[in-house]
Amino acid sequence: MAGPQRTSAAAGKKNQKVTKKFIINASQPVNDKIFDLQAFEKFLHDRIKVEGRTGNLGDTVTISQIGDGKIEVIAHQEFSGRYLKYLTKKFLKKQQLRDWLRVVSTSKGVYELRFFNVVNDEADEDDE
């Protein structure tokens, strides 16, 4: 009897709508005028794949700007945050900003672009 119950539960799970919401916060580099938010939004529109095809977003994935320097991605299907992080890093590499910015997950579904912390080695110079 346990067999049929499992299959019906699995079939019910497949038909459920999944909505995932991700936010990419790029307000820090946008305020410093080194990051173009419109170009990044267009990059995501062009590069996000749905069912293995680019340009297939439809109503499944929506990308929009919210607030100052934030982009919101809402997916009505299974969607990986790692994929979004990967695409963000790819855009930074293309814009030659990968040496200054990194993508950090601040909380579930929220990614932030931060500058690398540069520490001066002044303490080493004092030892002379």
Side-chain angles (χ1 to χ4, degrees):
M1 280 194 141
Q5 288 176 341
R6 282 189 202 152
T7 55
S8 63
K13 219 174 203 183
K14 279 186 179 179
N15 294 335
Q16 286 178 344
K17 270 219 166 200
V18 179
T19 301
K20 292 194 169 194
K21 180 177 167 184
F22 299 96
I23 294 175
I24 301 172
N25 183 358
S27 54
Q28 199 176 8
V30 166
N31 290 340
D32 290 347
K33 296 182 176 44
I34 65 163
F35 190 82
D36 186 5
L37 202 62
Q38 281 77 24
F40 180 54
E41 185 181 11
K42 183 180 180 337
F43 179 84
L44 289 178
H45 271 287
D46 296 343
R47 295 295 176 98
I48 288 180
K49 289 185 176 182
V50 176
E51 296 173 6
R53 299 176 67 204
T54 58
N56 193 21
L57 297 181
D59 294 333
T60 312
V61 178
T62 56
I63 305 165
S64 59
Q65 291 184 33
I66 55 168
D68 54 304
K70 292 182 182 176
I71 287 195
E72 181 181 56
V73 178
I74 299 173
H76 299 294
Q77 68 171 24
E78 275 302 316
F79 195 82
S80 169
R82 291 294 241 166
Y83 180 53
L84 212 51
K85 185 175 181 177
Y86 162 77
L87 286 173
T88 305
K89 288 161 78 171
K90 203 170 173 85
F91 179 77
L92 291 175
K93 180 75 174 169
K94 185 179 173 190
Q95 299 294 317
Q96 297 170 347
L97 295 172
R98 194 83 171 85
D99 295 337
W100 292 281
L101 294 171
R102 65 191 191 129
V103 185
V104 180
S105 176
T106 53
S107 62
K108 187 172 173 63
V110 179
Y111 293 93
E112 188 174 331
L113 295 181
R114 291 187 180 166
F115 289 100
F116 281 110
N117 291 336
V118 179
V119 181
N120 294 332
D121 295 328
E122 292 177 11
D124 294 340
E125 295 171 8
D126 293 339
D127 292 341
E128 289 177 11

